[in-house]
Amino acid sequence: MSPAANPVIVGIDLGTTNSLVAVCDERGPRVLKDAAGRGLLPSVVRYIEDGRAQEVGDGARRHAREFPRTTIASVKRLMGRSASDAAADAGYLSYRVVEGPNRMAVVRLGETETGATVSPQEVSAAILRELKARAEAALGASVSRAVVTVPAYFDDAQRQATRDAGRLAGLEVVRTVNEPTAAALAYGVGLRQRTEETIAVYDLGGGTFDVSILRVTPGEPGDASTDFFEVLSTAGDTHLGGDDADHLIVERLSAGLDRAALTPGDAAALKAAAEEMKIALSEKDSVAREVALSTGTVSARITRAELEAMLGPWVEKTLLSCRRALRDAKLTAEQIDRVVLVGGSTRVPLVRQRVEEVFGKPPYTALNPDEVVALGAAVQGAVMSGDVRGMLLLDVIPLSLGIETVGGAVAKVIMRNSNVPARATEMFSTGVDNQTGIKLNIVQGEREMAADCRSLGEFHLRGLPPMPAGIPQVEVEFLVDANGVLNVSAVERRSGQRAGVQVIPSHGLTRDDVDRMEREALTHAKEDMQRHRVVDLIANSRLDLKWIAERLDKVRPHLEPAYMVELEGAAAALRDLVTRAEADWRGVDANAFHRAKEALDKASVRMHEVSIARTLSG
Ligand code: AMP
């Protein structure tokens, strides 16, 4: 008989607006999806008045407007709180909050006193039950243990209520983990480094904002379960988030309208349009929208700059909390080693930019900010079940990291087996005249062609002034930090334009994958080198031919006919090789190609001399 595998411990982010379940195995942490591919479960439960749960998640949320008194959203605000403590929050909720046993806050369903009451634990249990079923379907195994995250400021009663909700749902909550701790764990903080670190976690969601300062003290080497995460301070605002940004946009959209004439449907349409515009402006510079209202249609165009002017004070409020959290922790921004972003609203570029300015370092953004807490809870689950040993937690970079160049070859920037942390830079240029943007594809692997490697992500360096091919100087920097997070940044030296992206190269990669990729590289080594060489020769020859043709146009009358025959012959020979190599790289001999390129270089010397002499003589 084989020993029973450790039963899996899933990680659950039981959020105010949305909840998620994740698991962490040898491929690292991942969110478990339902049959329709949805990862986020809206934290909304619709009841019928006798107290039976009718719908959980998307369906319940869709019906919220129709059944405001029996559809329970944001119940996290009531967990483990007395009715009097919850009174201020109850004002924001569409359903009735009354006093239940032991003076605790409970929900009275419907309009009358005959409606049943449900406790916040029961509502949370309905959500957890749904997540448990989702996890079991995705994993094909029963799930009975979970790590559940809670806000750092949750007191004992709130944590106990969360555990009780788990028990009601048939889940043993083996640990409650602070949300900021989970976010840090998702990035491997504490799992790799050997020294103490201070982390700031900035969490801006739809309706709440929290910032926490954590200290991570590594425990026994090789035993992540002994690492110690201490919350040094927290600050925030339980009613500040993306919703406020939407309201600012609604005000702008409805500026010329008679607000009193707007129906609830109009208000909902304006809010939905505002949120869509806000989200679009995280990617685009400008968006236009038309919104059909009962009184007619309003249309508006908003630019990113206008949105940022509107959102400035909103972002500043969060930064005040950051400064307070630093003060309470008796730390300066410089003493923060890393900044982690959580929550959908941290996708707003202005938020990222201001957070970077305040803390003086780029924040971690490689993971989806909606998922990072659940992913970290799954990592904690794996640590507790002993599964984390299978995860790829290496002190060296297991596979080379590079950039795809013209023609699809790979320029390796950081070689495999480099120690972590690692940093390297490489210069690149453009292959076409007047290119105003460059796409940078980050690849991982030992093969010479990008198509045979793993693509980790891509980004665009935009806004370059038009320049001839080969003239822009693009410096690309790769930086892998102690947690294995890769920051790639590119800057064009002449224009100062910059762009960057963050990825986690070990995500989804197992030891077996690494071994296989190494083996494949060895098997194909000779052919790959040949191909890489030909592809580079094509790119360089094209640039040479172009430069020579341009110069020749200017100096042709000053060159001897015999020399012209020699030069044009060399150019034609190389052009022919380029054409043939482009059709089939195997169809050319790389050595002969190289010689042809050198022959043209040599033949063009006289032309360059004449050209320079003519330039000098004016
Ligand atoms: P959360 O509570 O973490 O799920 O965050 C939800 C909030 O994030 C909502 O206010 C969304 O409008 C906002 N959000 C989601 N994606 C984006 C985006 N790409 N740009 C700006 N805000 C976003």
Side-chain angles (χ1 to χ4, degrees):
M1 223 166 68
S2 60
N6 278 337
V8 61
I9 302 178
V10 295
I12 291 179
D13 171 5
L14 187 59
T16 307
T17 321
N18 292 299
S19 297
L20 297 93
V21 58
V23 71
C24 177
D25 54 21
E26 56 162 0
R27 287 186 177 267
R30 67 175 190 282
V31 165
L32 299 172
K33 311 259 165 92
D34 69 0
R38 287 173 299 203
L40 291 181
L41 176 74
S43 305
V44 185
V45 184
R46 182 166 75 82
Y47 285 87
I48 38 186
E49 283 194 23
D50 67 5
R52 272 181 295 163
Q54 192 70 10
E55 279 183 301
V56 180
D58 282 304
R61 184 160 68 185
R62 264 198 307 280
H63 287 120
R65 218 167 280 282
E66 211 179 320
F67 303 105
R69 297 301 225 182
T70 50
T71 306
I72 315 305
S74 300
V75 79
K76 188 172 180 178
R77 295 185 184 277
L78 306 179
M79 288 287 273
R81 300 181 75 191
S82 67
S84 56
D85 279 350
D89 272 307
Y92 289 88
L93 305 172
S94 70
Y95 46 88
R96 287 198 300 158
V97 179
V98 298
E99 193 169 276
N102 301 321
R103 316 201 138 191
M104 299 306 279
V106 295
V107 176
R108 168 86 68 195
L109 298 169
E111 300 292 349
T112 67
E113 301 312 309
T114 57
T117 56
V118 286
S119 67
Q121 290 90 321
E122 288 173 291
V123 181
S124 296
I127 297 162
L128 291 172
R129 226 173 266 126
E130 191 73 21
L131 293 173
K132 176 179 187 303
R134 177 181 291 191
E136 291 179 335
L139 297 171
S142 88
V143 171
S144 59
R145 301 199 294 165
V147 168
V148 180
T149 58
V150 292
Y153 56 76
F154 256 29
D155 62 21
D156 280 344
Q158 291 170 299
R159 285 166 202 259
Q160 187 54 44
T162 305
R163 271 187 223 104
D164 291 344
R167 193 173 34 77
L168 290 174
L171 280 173
E172 182 198 349
V173 177
V174 292
R175 170 129 6 135
T176 55
V177 175
N178 290 323
E179 286 158 8
T181 300
L185 273 167
Y187 280 104
V189 171
L191 299 178
R192 289 172 200 255
Q193 74 266 20
R194 306 276 163 265
T195 52
E196 191 176 273
E197 280 204 315
T198 310
I199 322 283
V201 181
Y202 177 105
D203 180 350
L204 186 59
T208 59
F209 170 66
D210 295 303
V211 55
S212 311
I213 312 285
L214 309 178
R215 173 166 299 146
V216 191
T217 316
E220 303 287 316
D223 183 359
S225 63
T226 58
D227 290 341
F228 184 61
F229 284 78
E230 182 189 3
V231 179
L232 300 181
S233 65
T234 68
D237 186 331
T238 51
H239 293 282
L240 178 72
D243 290 344
D244 301 295
D246 301 344
H247 290 144
L248 292 168
I249 302 174
V250 166
E251 283 190 8
R252 156 80 188 261
L253 294 178
S254 58
L257 303 177
D258 173 8
R259 302 243 171 104
L262 295 178
T263 65
D266 291 341
L270 284 168
K271 160 96 166 96
E275 184 174 11
E276 269 176 39
M277 292 179 91
K278 173 189 75 176
I279 289 176
L281 285 169
S282 290
E283 302 288 330
K284 296 189 184 155
D285 290 330
S286 153
V287 288
R289 270 291 305 237
E290 287 197 345
V291 193
L293 302 176
S294 56
T295 50
T297 302
V298 289
S299 55
R301 169 173 292 282
I302 302 184
T303 64
R304 163 104 52 103
E306 286 167 330
L307 179 75
E308 293 188 343
M310 277 189 254
L311 296 188
W314 172 76
V315 180
E316 288 314 308
K317 262 195 198 171
T318 70
L319 300 177
L320 277 178
S321 295
C322 293
R323 294 191 187 98
R324 174 144 26 90
L326 283 169
R327 212 167 40 239
D328 291 351
K330 301 194 172 46
L331 291 170
T332 61
E334 295 74 52
Q335 289 171 294
I336 301 295
D337 297 305
R338 288 173 218 286
V339 182
V340 177
L341 297 187
V342 183
S345 298
T346 60
R347 293 199 181 91
V348 173
L350 179 68
V351 169
R352 294 189 171 188
Q353 181 197 321
R354 294 292 292 131
V355 169
E356 176 166 349
E357 282 164 14
V358 166
F359 288 99
K361 49 190 70 69
Y364 272 174
T365 55
L367 297 173
N368 180 335
D370 299 320
E371 297 184 345
V372 50
V373 168
L375 295 174
V379 170
Q380 179 66 41
V383 167
M384 295 182 74
S385 68
D387 278 352
V388 84
R389 267 180 269 283
M391 257 174 83
L392 209 60
L393 292 175
L394 301 176
D395 295 331
V396 296
I397 288 159
L399 293 165
S400 301
L401 300 167
I403 286 279
E404 176 174 352
T405 57
V406 182
V410 177
K412 296 196 172 120
V413 181
I414 294 186
M415 296 312 232
R416 64 183 275 260
N417 286 336
S418 305
N419 283 322
V420 170
R423 180 180 173 277
T425 59
E426 220 23 90
M427 294 300 297
F428 294 94
S429 193
T430 48
V432 178
D433 282 345
N434 302 326
Q435 233 175 295
T436 55
I438 302 179
K439 187 177 87 177
L440 293 114
N441 181 18
I442 304 156
V443 297
Q444 175 180 46
E446 303 318 306
R447 301 285 300 272
E448 296 293 326
M449 301 304 293
D452 298 319
C453 293
R454 232 175 138 227
S455 174
L456 295 178
E458 51 182 50
F459 66 103
H460 287 88
L461 180 60
R462 295 198 173 88
L464 305 182
M467 285 183 261
I471 297 301
Q473 294 182 1
V474 181
E475 184 178 89
V476 176
E477 183 190 69
F478 276 47
L479 179 86
V480 182
D481 72 15
N483 300 321
V485 177
L486 167 64
N487 281 276
V488 181
S489 59
V491 54
E492 201 285 308
R493 288 249 188 96
R494 286 160 205 263
S495 58
Q497 286 291 335
R498 46 177 74 241
V501 75
Q502 246 180 29
V503 289
I504 302 183
S506 67
H507 254 209
L509 201 64
T510 65
R511 188 71 251 179
D512 286 349
D513 293 333
V514 173
D515 293 345
R516 181 180 48 74
M517 289 169 86
E518 264 177 37
R519 268 197 316 275
E520 281 174 5
L522 285 176
T523 322
H524 298 276
K526 199 161 162 226
E527 191 184 80
D528 275 6
M529 284 307 294
Q530 186 83 348
R531 182 163 184 193
H532 191 154
R533 213 171 143 212
V534 171
V535 163
D536 283 354
L537 278 166
I538 294 174
N540 293 331
S541 302
R542 287 178 72 97
L543 277 181
D544 281 359
L545 285 164
K546 179 174 155 294
W547 281 332
I548 288 172
E550 283 168 4
R551 208 160 258 200
L552 198 53
D553 268 352
K554 300 205 184 88
V555 292
R556 192 184 298 273
H558 310 283
L559 295 171
E560 309 79 15
Y563 171 69
M564 281 302 298
V565 171
E566 181 196 335
L567 182 62
E568 287 186 330
L574 187 63
R575 206 172 296 119
D576 176 53
L577 278 162
V578 168
T579 313
R580 276 169 40 210
E582 279 178 333
D584 175 15
W585 65 270
R586 284 190 185 83
V588 294
D589 170 26
N591 289 330
F593 198 167
H594 183 76
R595 280 197 301 274
K597 183 173 174 303
E598 282 196 334
L600 178 65
D601 286 347
K602 221 161 125 202
S604 63
V605 169
R606 167 140 181 79
M607 178 199 73
H608 289 300
E609 279 169 3
V610 171
S611 162
I612 290 165
R614 292 205 53 78
T615 313
L616 291 180
S617 66

